[in-house]
């Protein structure tokens, strides 16, 4: 695993299974190889195109916060539900790290360096391209399921507990920007 990727994603070290950690990292490396976006861009561009051009929360701010929130929620579930509801921590963390990896193919930069949805992204949203990248890198089905179901597309299928955790960690840190009540 290269140092630049570990600088972008220190949370990769939280994945205990070395094979899953490597496949998760490889998926990000492949996405970066195929994307016009660089790690510097990911630390600069807004995390969503749906909340206006002045959003200060970067792609990586949001992505890393989702991983932290999902990990903490999964840990709480494992500690408090007496084994009747459990989360595989490696699956949750890998799924949270990979949930938006497809955005690297969905987004392009305009002539001013602003992130916009590219032609590819208009045809295939990031849950689809993310699963494609992950499968190419050998990521297991239970993690690909999280990528596929983390966004609205996932409302059409049953989610695993791990997928619910990542979905809610993602949306609880997105919807308030888009739909919060202001008085």
């Amino acid at each position: 695993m290269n140092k630049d990727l570990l600088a972008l994603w220190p949370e990769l070290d939280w994945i205990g299974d070395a094979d899953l950690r490597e496949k998760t990292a490889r998926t990000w490396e492949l996405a970066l190889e195929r994307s016009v976006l660089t790690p510097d861009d990911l630390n600069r561009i807004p995390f969503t195109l749906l909340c206006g051009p002045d959003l200060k929360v970067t792609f990586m701010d949001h992505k890393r916060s989702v991983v932290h929130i999902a990990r903490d929620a999964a840990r709480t579930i494992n500690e408090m539900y007496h084994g009747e509801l459990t989360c595989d921590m490696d699956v949750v963390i890998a799924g949270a790290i990979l949930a938006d990896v497809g955005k690297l193919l969905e987004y392009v930069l305009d002539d001013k360096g602003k992130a916009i949805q590219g032609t590819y992204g208009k045809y295939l949203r990031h849950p689809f391209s993310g699963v494609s990248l992950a499968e190419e890198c050998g990521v297991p089905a239970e993690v690909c399921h999280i990528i596929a179901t983390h966004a609205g597309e996932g409302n059409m299928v049953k989610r695993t507990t791990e997928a619910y955790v990542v979905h809610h960690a993602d949306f609880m840190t997105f919807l308030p920007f888009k739909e919060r009540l202001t008085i």
Side-chain angles (χ1 to χ4, degrees), residues 139-155:
V139 172
E142 58 267 33
V143 177
C144 288
H145 169 77
I146 292 172
I147 301 166
T149 63
H150 82 280
E153 290 85 348
N155 295 338

Side-chain angles (χ1 to χ4, degrees), residues 12-57:
L12 283 163
D13 281 339
W14 295 353
I15 302 171
D17 181 283
D19 185 55
L20 180 57
R21 185 182 328 111
E22 182 56 38
K23 288 174 179 177
T24 302
R26 179 65 194 126
T27 303
W28 267 91
E29 289 168 348
L30 182 61
L32 284 163
E33 288 168 15
R34 293 185 180 170
S35 178
V36 300
L37 301 173
T38 67
D40 286 342
D41 292 326
L42 299 178
N43 282 305
R44 175 186 59 79
I45 65 172
F47 82 90
T48 180
L49 303 178
L50 302 175
C51 295
D54 298 326
L55 186 64
K56 293 174 187 67
V57 179

Side-chain angles (χ1 to χ4, degrees), residues 148-163:
T149 63
H150 82 280
E153 290 85 348
N155 295 338
M156 303 303 290
V157 298
K158 288 187 177 186
R159 290 181 172 103
T160 62
T161 302
E162 293 83 1

Side-chain angles (χ1 to χ4, degrees), residues 69-89 92 161 165:
I69 292 165
R71 180 206 50 185
D72 293 348
R75 185 182 290 151
T76 300
I77 287 169
N78 285 340
E79 290 172 359
M80 301 194 77
Y81 284 85
H82 312 289
E84 291 186 42
L85 185 64
T86 61
C87 286
D88 182 313
M89 295 301 292
V92 167
T161 302
V165 167

